[in-house]
Structures are given as structure tokens and as C-alpha cells.
Amino acid sequence: MGSEELLFRDGHSVRFVEQSFDGDGEFLRIEHRWPSVGRMAGPHWHPELTERFRVVRGSVRFRIDGRDHIATPGQTLTVGPRRVHQFWNEETGLVLDHEVRPPLCHRQMFELWHRLDFEGKTTRAGMPRNPLDLGLLWELQDGYLAKIPVTVQRAVLGGLARIARKRRNFGSRPRPS
């Protein structure tokens, strides 16, 4: 699994390191490399996922439930279910070890995002240009955007995902609660 790397146009890379089970259940480990300073993920939360981020090189700023935390090499931050979080790369050359439990569709999310980016179907900020692609990406994140009511996200973005799956012959996928 260690050789599966996705390189995005902005230089960010995602490498799938390991997907397995241990005493705490199923997990996915991902290595992220960000060459430049800036926002990495806007405010969002996951109903089921726990994410653990360990800084290998550089520094990263997390905002978790409104509180800022700076992590430097060797430090780890854990974000449990239902906690609103976002993060920024504070230095060039950031390397981050990212563990997702349970993995749900996180790998598929990065693979879709990479494919859209590779095909030039994302904006400079990495957002899908096509609303149907945005719906699919939202669905695969296994979570929700902060500050937008869940019912609105399910109706609008979930509706776009359903249309995209129908048009593209994708099967259905249940959302986390």
C-alpha cells in the first residue's frame, strides 16, 4: 500500500501508507506533504470519524471547537467525532501523518479529489467546478461543513450527489448520522 501516492497540481501529495485493523478497529494511515503555507481544510466535522494528526516536519495550526493549537514535529493532535476542526500549514515543507478511524470513505474522497484536480475540474483553491462533483466529494468526506445546517447540506449537496450517482451509474451510499 505504501507506494500509492496522489500528487495534486498545487504540489500537495497524499500517500496511502496503511489500511488495516488493530485492537481499536479499522484505520487508514495517510501521509500528507504540503509544499506551501496556507489553509488545508475549512471548518467541518465528522459524526463517526476520529482523526489523529502527527507532525513529522514543519508546523500546523489547528482550530478545534474554536480553540487554536499549534503542532510541531513529534506532536500529535486528535480530533474526535462531532468536533468542528480546520487547519493551516504554517511552514513550507509540512509532512503530516494522518490516521482516520474508521476510514469509511476517506480514501475514496482523496482519490476523487485527485482525479478532479488532475483533469483540471477544480478551482485554484481545489474546489470542484461542477456542482455534481462537489456533491460527490461532500458525500465522501463522511462529515459536514460547519455553520451550515445539516438538513440544508443533506438536501442541497446530498441531492447533487444523488443526481451525480444516477447520471454516472454510481451505486447509492448511506450518509453517517
Side-chain angles (χ1 to χ4, degrees):
M1 179 175 223
S3 64
E4 300 172 65
E5 186 171 12
L6 308 175
L7 181 60
F8 291 77
R9 290 182 297 163
D10 67 359
H12 168 220
S13 72
V14 172
R15 184 171 63 91
F16 301 110
V17 176
E18 179 180 16
Q19 185 163 356
S20 190
F21 291 88
D22 64 13
D24 295 324
E26 187 178 10
F27 66 91
L28 172 65
R29 275 195 49 234
I30 305 164
E31 178 189 80
H32 296 274
R33 291 179 176 266
W34 270 279
S36 55
V37 173
R39 184 182 180 113
M40 297 161 26
H44 65 286
W45 58 277
H46 307 282
E48 297 177 44
L49 298 180
T50 295
E51 294 180 281
R52 191 180 83 216
F53 301 90
R54 184 177 60 82
V55 178
V56 176
R57 184 174 42 223
S59 85
V60 61
R61 178 170 46 110
F62 286 85
R63 183 166 295 144
I64 304 170
D65 291 337
R67 294 190 58 208
D68 282 0
H69 308 269
I70 302 289
T72 57
Q75 293 183 314
T76 299
L77 281 161
T78 300
V79 182
R82 301 191 173 277
R83 298 191 66 197
V84 175
H85 57 289
Q86 59 184 315
F87 36 100
W88 298 263
N89 180 5
E90 296 284 297
E91 290 181 33
T92 59
L94 176 69
V95 178
L96 199 60
D97 182 51
H98 178 199
E99 182 182 272
V100 183
R101 287 179 183 267
L104 300 177
C105 292
H106 245 59
R107 180 184 178 124
Q108 293 91 336
M109 175 193 68
F110 283 115
E111 289 171 339
L112 173 61
W113 209 333
H114 176 259
R115 190 179 85 234
L116 295 171
D117 183 72
F118 181 77
E119 294 172 355
K121 294 180 178 178
T122 57
T123 66
R124 230 176 178 184
M127 296 306 298
R129 296 178 192 281
N130 183 317
L132 297 179
D133 293 332
L134 179 63
L136 288 173
L137 196 59
W138 169 85
E139 184 175 65
L140 292 172
Q141 79 162 336
D142 298 310
Y144 298 96
L145 306 172
K147 299 182 181 180
I148 300 173
V150 168
T151 53
V152 171
Q153 292 181 62
R154 286 179 177 161
V156 176
L157 296 169
L160 290 169
R162 284 187 297 279
I163 292 167
R165 282 194 317 273
K166 267 187 182 176
R167 284 192 174 172
R168 298 172 186 176
N169 294 317
F170 293 152
S172 64
R173 194 182 92 61
R175 287 286 296 168
S177 53

